[in-house]
Amino acid sequence: METVNQIHQLRQLLKDKKAENPGLTVGFVPTMGFLHRGHASLMEAARRECDLVVLSIFVNPLQFGPNEDFERYPRDEQRDLEIAGKAGVDLVFFPQVEEMYPSPTKTIVSVSGVSEGLCGASRPGHFDGVSTVVTKLFNIVQPDRAYFGLKDAQQVAVIEQMVHDLNMPVTIVPCPIVREADGLALSSRNVYLNEEERRQALVLSAALNAAERFIEERGREATAAELTRVIRQEIGKSALADIDYAEVLTYPALEPFATLEAGQRIITALAVRFGRTRLIDNRILNIR
Ligand code: PAF
């Protein structure tokens, strides 16, 4: 596995590898590091499907608000490299902020609609930061396939819309959420939780399960308002949980709806604070 910090080094390496093997397919996994099994599942999928696997590790300041956790976002370079090596990554791109943003960027990629609700509403500017850095990374790596986890399902919807609108020559591969045995979705931010917050955070997956069960029981008679009520009731069982949002929308358009329809794909999406830690979780359901 090779590690590079500079854009020109990465471009030269990719150029050399493509010259040696003109049909080479490149799989790309963009991350902000502090890797866990969720990231490993993306790298492993890329390893299975592509000739060359590139991982980027870059905590992107552009997608953090002024009062968010950019400075304290967890980082562990050595452990990340071990995990990447085990998952079969070929090339790690590990740029510093000055390499990605040598001067303040005057170009912002902004996807309207899908980026505006949910996390877009509670974290203004967040998705502009994501779509801008992902565009830069796609331009640098020029992957054939790029792998994103569905824990950030809104991010996947935003990136897919951007790739479609801007004719980017890359296939987006959404990958399933990876959970702890007790149901908590893996996230680099789980390390912020104390023992009690970690225990109470299980209401997130419990709320998603409750909504899914409600649909199984009621079928298409279940309304979006009832589903939201079921979710909020379940989260309400945790004294520490402070709901940022709990919504039921169509997916991937992320539009509100009143009643369920056969063939519809919906998302139950949550963002909940436990102390200073904001966790997100979701489930995408196909309505029969
Ligand atoms: O999902 C993430 O880790 C980040 O939003 C991404 C896609 C690497 C962009 O910084």
Side-chain angles (χ1 to χ4, degrees):
M1 189 171 75
E2 286 170 275
T3 303
V4 294
N5 307 108
Q6 292 179 337
I7 296 167
H8 76 90
Q9 293 172 318
L10 182 71
R11 285 203 164 125
Q12 190 57 51
L13 269 168
L14 289 167
K15 198 171 162 192
D16 293 346
K17 289 189 193 291
K18 284 182 180 171
E20 277 166 32
N21 178 358
L24 189 93
T25 55
V26 177
F28 177 44
V29 183
T31 76
M32 298 205 300
F34 209 68
L35 304 178
H36 51 64
R37 279 187 294 116
H39 297 111
S41 75
L42 307 180
M43 298 180 243
E44 286 157 9
R47 179 71 287 158
R48 282 193 302 275
E49 296 170 8
C50 305
D51 299 324
L52 188 91
V53 179
V54 181
L55 168 78
S56 67
I57 298 177
F58 178 61
V59 185
N60 172 36
L62 213 61
Q63 69 190 73
F64 289 79
N67 299 317
E68 293 185 352
D69 57 346
F70 173 69
E71 294 297 342
R72 69 178 188 123
Y73 195 83
R75 292 160 169 91
D76 190 339
E77 186 174 330
Q78 222 32 57
R79 195 169 140 270
D80 284 353
L81 293 180
E82 277 163 34
I83 293 173
K86 282 196 191 126
V89 166
D90 298 300
L91 254 171
V92 183
F93 179 47
F94 222 139
Q96 296 294 309
V97 173
E98 302 72 45
E99 180 68 7
M100 289 297 281
Y101 302 109
S103 55
T105 184
K106 295 201 165 77
T107 306
I108 294 291
V109 180
S110 188
V111 179
S112 63
V114 282
S115 72
E116 287 164 21
L118 302 177
C119 289
S122 16
R123 303 183 67 189
H126 168 68
F127 285 114
D128 286 359
V130 170
S131 24
T132 302
V133 80
V134 170
T135 299
K136 285 167 72 76
L137 291 167
F138 282 177
N139 283 337
I140 294 165
V141 178
Q142 301 193 0
D144 296 284
R145 296 167 76 75
Y147 296 77
F148 292 86
L150 276 166
K151 189 169 84 60
D152 298 299
Q154 185 177 16
Q155 172 169 278
V156 172
V158 169
I159 303 288
E160 281 183 330
Q161 187 68 51
M162 173 184 89
V163 163
H164 172 80
D165 289 346
L166 299 182
N167 305 95
M168 293 181 172
V170 55
T171 300
I172 301 304
V173 187
C175 298
I177 298 177
V178 179
R179 295 179 182 279
E180 301 283 7
D182 61 7
L184 184 70
L186 296 192
S187 162
S188 305
R189 290 188 168 98
N190 289 351
V191 289
Y192 298 151
L193 299 168
N194 66 30
E195 213 176 303
E196 186 52 24
E197 290 165 347
R198 167 69 183 75
R199 200 181 62 75
Q200 295 201 23
L202 292 180
V203 292
L204 266 70
S205 53
L208 299 174
N209 292 341
E212 188 170 357
R213 268 198 316 273
F214 192 79
I215 294 178
E216 277 162 16
E217 283 161 21
R218 302 281 172 94
R220 273 179 270 137
E221 304 214 322
T223 64
E226 284 169 332
L227 286 166
T228 311
R229 202 161 42 240
V230 167
I231 290 171
R232 285 186 170 267
Q233 221 164 41
E234 198 62 39
I235 299 174
K237 291 180 184 168
S238 155
L240 295 179
D242 175 15
I243 298 180
D244 179 357
Y245 63 73
E247 292 193 39
V248 186
L249 301 168
T250 62
Y251 191 83
L254 301 179
E255 284 165 355
F257 65 92
T259 51
L260 296 173
E261 284 166 32
Q264 193 182 34
R265 202 143 59 113
I266 65 159
I267 183 167
T268 49
L270 315 173
V272 180
R273 278 178 210 286
F274 295 86
R276 288 172 69 200
T277 309
R278 181 178 174 278
L279 299 181
I280 56 170
D281 201 352
N282 73 79
R283 188 155 307 159
I284 295 171
L285 300 164
N286 293 308
I287 305 303
R288 278 178 276 129

